[in-house]
């Protein structure tokens, strides 16, 4: 007599163990894939479902049979509950309230199975009987009356299959992938094996329950589909990376961490350095650096290869093949394998020579302005619309009798009231600038010094506006013309006397 059932079920459990380990490892690899992890959970639950089927079919007494049957049905209930969620996650058909409600229903069936005297299947148990299979092997089959909980379990499993078939059908309709069609066919085969198992349990006909073996088609189809999908995503990711690398507007280099050698450079990098693809593969990025930066750049890459840091960003000078120079913003990151070992450095360099020249010209211009601002004999200031100084130069403070620019900015909180003999003059001039009736205003005004003395000033005002055209502050120049005005008056008086 050939023993087929037990070895077959053990082989099935081994297949589930291998599949579980494989998909769990794939799912846990960063970035984590919940579909693979959940499928690994399905495979994990298939193992006790298969193994507990052996004592059900080979029991010698009723107590052993009922105990094994409870464990087998418990594993089946958990398996179908998790399988329900896996299908929802895989197909993106996720009616959440329905999924939660049906999971709770499976929980109720799980408790009823373990709490009942004869498991979920039997309301009344009449004993065991032996059934001889066509190849001569004997298996055990229970006899008894099926209860309402067993039919509730059939309904629960039927709903799971209905959801799986509808969800997979919708997914295949959206994407028309052969792998989805294979899974759909495998679910149908699994459904047929489950129907056969239910009919055997109901005593409609005698035979071995094929449910565990129907899982083989489902597991193989799903495992192949998930593996193929992972490979497709990997190829797509590599294609996208290649496209980004080749078409990046910045110079891109792929570098070997072991020796710093350039493995590949994109067209922009070749254009920046003047080398062709073969020439640049004989060099390191340190070789491309100007002599004054070469040793430091080499040292930084050695530190990165030693794992002291994962990325670096700095500015360096590089020399082209023809001897030219350019300044580049240099960013490097490391690509690591699953063990955390760097397998590639990806470097990006952006030519910022023109920007550096612009920044230097701006710096020089600002220095010239600052020199003019600090050393001008005329008072220069910037003030808010509300009447506070933002900045004044030394001449401005000196003209108004303040010991320093900082003291003037600190002490004057209302320019019109504190510095204008007639505060209304400032309001009139500010109004003209705000209503765009003038861009620049020049006027004579009687000013007040810190000690209260007065002098005549020639003031020039202009407004600085924001993007909406609103004046945000005012720039001005103040010149003390008291002596000049007195001289003019004395000259006029002398002229009138001579006449």
């Amino acid at each position: 007599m050939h023993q087929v059932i037990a070895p077959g079920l053990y082989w099935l459990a081994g297949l589930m163990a291998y599949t579980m380990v494989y998909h769990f490892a794939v799912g846990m690899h960063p970035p984590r894939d919940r579909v693979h992890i959940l499928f690994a959970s399905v495979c994990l639950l298939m193992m006790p479902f298969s193994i507990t089927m052996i004592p059900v079919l080979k029991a010698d007494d009723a107590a052993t049979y009922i105990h094994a049957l409870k464990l087998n049905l418990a594993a089946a209930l958990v398996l179908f509950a998790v399988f329900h969620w896996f299908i929802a996650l895989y197909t993106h058909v996720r009616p959440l309230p329905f999924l939660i409600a049906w999971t709770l229903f499976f929980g109720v069936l799980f408790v009823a199975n373990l709490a009942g005297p004869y498991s979920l299947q039997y309301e009344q148990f009449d004993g065991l009987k032996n059934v001889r299979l066509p190849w001569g092997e004997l298996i055990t089959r229970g006899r008894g009356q099926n209860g309402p909980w067993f039919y509730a379990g059939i309904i629960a499993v039927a709903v799971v299959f209905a959801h799986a078939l509808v969800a997979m059908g919708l997914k295949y309709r959206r994407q028309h992938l052969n792998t989805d069609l294979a899974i759909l066919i495998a679910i149908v085969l699994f459904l047929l094996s489950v129907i056969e198992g239910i009919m055997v349990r109901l005593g409609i006909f005698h035979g071995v329950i094929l449910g565990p073996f129907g899982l083989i088609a489902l597991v193989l189809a799903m495992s192949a589909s998930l593996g193929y999908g992972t490979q497709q995503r990997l190829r797509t990711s590599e294609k996208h990376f290649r496209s980004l690398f080749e078409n990046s507007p910045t110079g891109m280099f792929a570098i070997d961490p072991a020796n710093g050698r350039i493995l590949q450079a994109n067209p922009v990098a070749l254009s920046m350095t003047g080398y062709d693809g073969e020439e640049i593969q004989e060099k390191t990025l340190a070789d491309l650096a100007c002599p004054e930066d070469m040793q430091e750049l080499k040292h930084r890459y050695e530190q990165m290869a030693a794992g002291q840091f994962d990325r670096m960003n700095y500015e360096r000078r590089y020399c082209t093949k023809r001897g030219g120079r350019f300044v580049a913003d240099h960013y490097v990151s490391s690509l690591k394998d699953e063990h955390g070992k760097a397998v590639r450095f990806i470097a990006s360099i952006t030519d910022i020579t023109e920007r550096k020249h612009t920044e230097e010209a701006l710096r020089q211009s600002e220095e010239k302005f600052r020199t003019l601002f600090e050393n001008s004999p005329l008072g220069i200031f910037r003030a808010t619309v509300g009447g506070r100084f933002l900045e004044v130069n030394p001449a401005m403070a000196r003209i108004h009798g303040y010991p320093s620019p900082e003291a003037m900015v600190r002490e004057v909180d209302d320019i019109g009231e504190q510095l204008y003999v007639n505060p209304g003059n400032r309001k009139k001039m500010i109004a003209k600038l705000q209503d765009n009736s003038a861009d620049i205003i020049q006027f004579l005004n009687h000013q007040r010094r810190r000690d209260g003395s007065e002098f005549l000033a020639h003031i020039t005002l202009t407004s600085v506006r924001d993007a909406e055209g609103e004046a945000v502050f005012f720039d001005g120049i103040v010149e003390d013309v008291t002596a000049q005005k007195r001289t003019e008056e004395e000259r006029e008086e002398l002229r009138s006397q001579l006449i």
Side-chain angles (χ1 to χ4, degrees):
M1 180 176 61
H2 298 287
Q3 296 292 324
V4 175
I5 299 300
L9 291 170
Y10 279 125
W11 177 85
L12 178 59
L15 175 64
M16 295 303 107
Y18 170 80
T19 309
M20 176 200 68
V21 172
Y22 170 76
H23 286 281
F24 185 76
V26 172
M28 293 300 294
H29 187 276
R32 292 186 177 182
D33 190 326
R34 292 184 299 168
V35 174
H36 278 276
I37 294 174
L38 199 55
F39 183 66
S41 303
V42 172
C43 294
L44 174 64
L45 292 167
M46 288 180 183
M47 293 165 57
F49 176 63
S50 301
I51 293 174
T52 55
M53 182 64 70
I54 296 173
V56 171
L57 297 175
K58 298 294 182 178
D60 294 327
D61 57 76
T64 302
Y65 177 83
I66 293 298
H67 177 72
L69 183 61
K70 284 187 175 184
L71 295 178
N72 181 251
L73 291 177
L77 291 169
V78 178
L79 168 62
F80 276 104
V82 175
F83 177 71
H84 201 190
W85 283 93
F86 166 74
I87 290 295
L89 189 64
Y90 178 74
T91 61
H92 300 285
V93 179
R94 306 171 187 173
L96 195 58
F98 165 68
L99 289 170
I100 294 174
W102 220 243
T103 302
L104 293 175
F105 184 43
F106 271 107
V108 172
L109 294 175
F110 182 87
V111 173
N113 173 65
L114 295 180
Y118 306 116
S119 80
L120 189 75
Q121 181 171 347
Y122 296 108
E123 186 176 38
Q124 177 180 334
F125 186 69
D126 298 329
L128 299 175
K129 63 179 179 181
N130 292 325
V131 177
R132 186 175 298 277
L133 299 177
W135 53 89
E137 183 176 0
L138 285 176
I139 61 171
T140 303
R141 181 70 66 226
R143 293 182 295 106
Q145 182 179 350
N146 301 117
W149 286 113
F150 182 65
Y151 294 105
I154 293 175
I155 293 173
V157 171
V159 170
V160 170
F161 272 110
H163 171 251
L165 292 172
V166 171
M168 283 304 307
L170 291 174
K171 187 174 187 298
Y172 177 72
R173 185 177 179 182
R174 288 195 310 267
Q175 301 176 340
H176 294 285
L177 297 177
N178 291 333
T179 51
D180 291 339
L181 180 60
I183 291 178
L184 190 58
I185 294 173
I187 291 175
V188 172
L189 293 177
F190 183 37
L191 172 61
L192 293 176
S193 68
V194 170
I195 292 174
E196 183 270 345
I198 292 173
M199 294 175 71
V200 170
R201 291 180 187 272
L202 291 172
I204 297 175
F205 64 85
H206 300 294
V208 64
I209 295 175
L210 297 178
F213 299 99
L215 288 172
I216 296 176
L218 184 64
V219 168
L220 292 179
M222 286 188 169
S223 180
S225 177
L226 291 176
Y228 178 77
T230 301
Q231 292 298 322
Q232 284 292 96
R233 288 193 296 273
L234 180 60
R235 281 192 286 268
T236 300
S237 177
E238 290 175 348
K239 184 178 179 180
H240 288 169
F241 175 79
R242 175 64 53 196
S243 177
L244 289 173
F245 186 89
E246 293 294 335
N247 299 307
S248 172
T250 63
M252 300 289 292
F253 298 88
I255 300 169
D256 187 347
N259 52 28
R261 190 74 59 187
I262 296 173
L263 301 174
Q264 193 171 3
N266 74 344
V268 174
L270 297 177
S271 175
M272 292 169 65
T273 60
Y275 293 94
D276 62 33
E278 293 183 359
E279 290 173 329
I280 208 164
Q281 290 179 1
E282 300 174 357
K283 299 183 177 295
T284 66
L285 268 183
D287 295 334
L288 301 180
C290 293
E292 58 269 30
D293 290 338
M294 186 177 294
Q295 288 302 317
E296 183 183 358
L297 187 59
K298 182 179 180 181
H299 179 62
R300 282 181 173 270
Y301 269 95
E302 289 174 349
Q303 289 179 310
M304 192 167 176
Q308 296 184 21
F309 41 83
D310 294 331
R311 58 184 61 85
M312 52 184 175
N313 186 211
Y314 49 85
E315 293 180 3
R316 286 294 177 270
R317 290 159 290 190
Y318 290 91
C319 294
T320 66
K321 180 181 178 181
R322 297 180 179 275
R325 287 176 169 235
F326 64 93
V327 182
D329 184 23
H330 187 131
Y331 178 81
V332 188
S333 61
S334 60
L335 297 179
K336 298 183 178 182
D337 60 17
E338 61 271 18
H339 305 295
K341 181 181 178 181
V343 293
R344 287 288 184 275
F345 292 152
I346 303 298
S348 169
I349 62 173
T350 304
D351 188 345
I352 58 171
T353 307
E354 184 176 348
R355 190 187 81 191
K356 297 297 287 186
H357 289 164
T358 303
E359 290 175 353
E360 178 62 22
L362 180 61
R363 185 189 64 79
Q364 293 179 4
S365 175
E366 289 175 345
E367 285 184 358
K368 291 178 181 179
F369 172 78
R370 178 56 56 183
T371 300
L372 176 65
F373 182 83
E374 295 292 337
N375 300 311
S376 173
L378 302 177
I380 303 173
F381 67 89
R382 171 165 286 183
T384 66
V385 177
R388 292 190 66 95
F389 286 119
L390 297 174
E391 190 174 14
V392 301
N393 71 340
M396 182 71 175
R398 184 175 62 254
I399 290 171
H400 288 84
Y402 288 87
S404 67
E406 293 77 17
M408 188 173 188
V409 171
R410 183 174 61 253
E411 294 180 20
V412 178
D413 54 16
D414 191 327
I415 296 172
E417 293 294 333
Q418 292 176 253
L419 301 185
Y420 280 57
V421 174
N422 182 0
N425 286 349
R426 183 177 187 270
K427 295 179 180 179
K428 292 177 182 179
M429 299 304 149
I430 295 300
K432 286 184 178 181
L433 289 174
Q434 286 183 316
D435 64 12
N436 295 316
S437 60
D439 294 327
I440 299 177
I441 295 177
Q442 294 183 338
F443 59 97
L444 292 175
N445 189 63
H446 290 282
Q447 297 282 105
R448 184 180 294 112
R449 295 187 180 92
R450 187 189 190 200
D451 60 6
S453 61
E454 299 179 5
F455 67 96
L456 185 64
H458 181 271
I459 301 176
T460 302
L461 278 180
T462 184
S463 60
V464 179
R465 301 178 182 275
D466 59 19
E468 284 73 33
E470 295 293 328
V472 290
F473 42 78
F474 301 98
D475 290 339
I477 299 174
V478 176
E479 180 183 5
D480 184 351
V481 295
T482 306
Q484 178 183 342
K485 190 68 175 176
R486 185 180 301 117
T487 300
E488 290 178 356
E489 290 175 351
E490 291 175 353
R491 186 182 297 115
E492 288 296 323
E493 183 179 350
L494 180 59
R495 181 180 294 113
S496 63
Q497 290 176 356
L498 292 176
I499 294 175

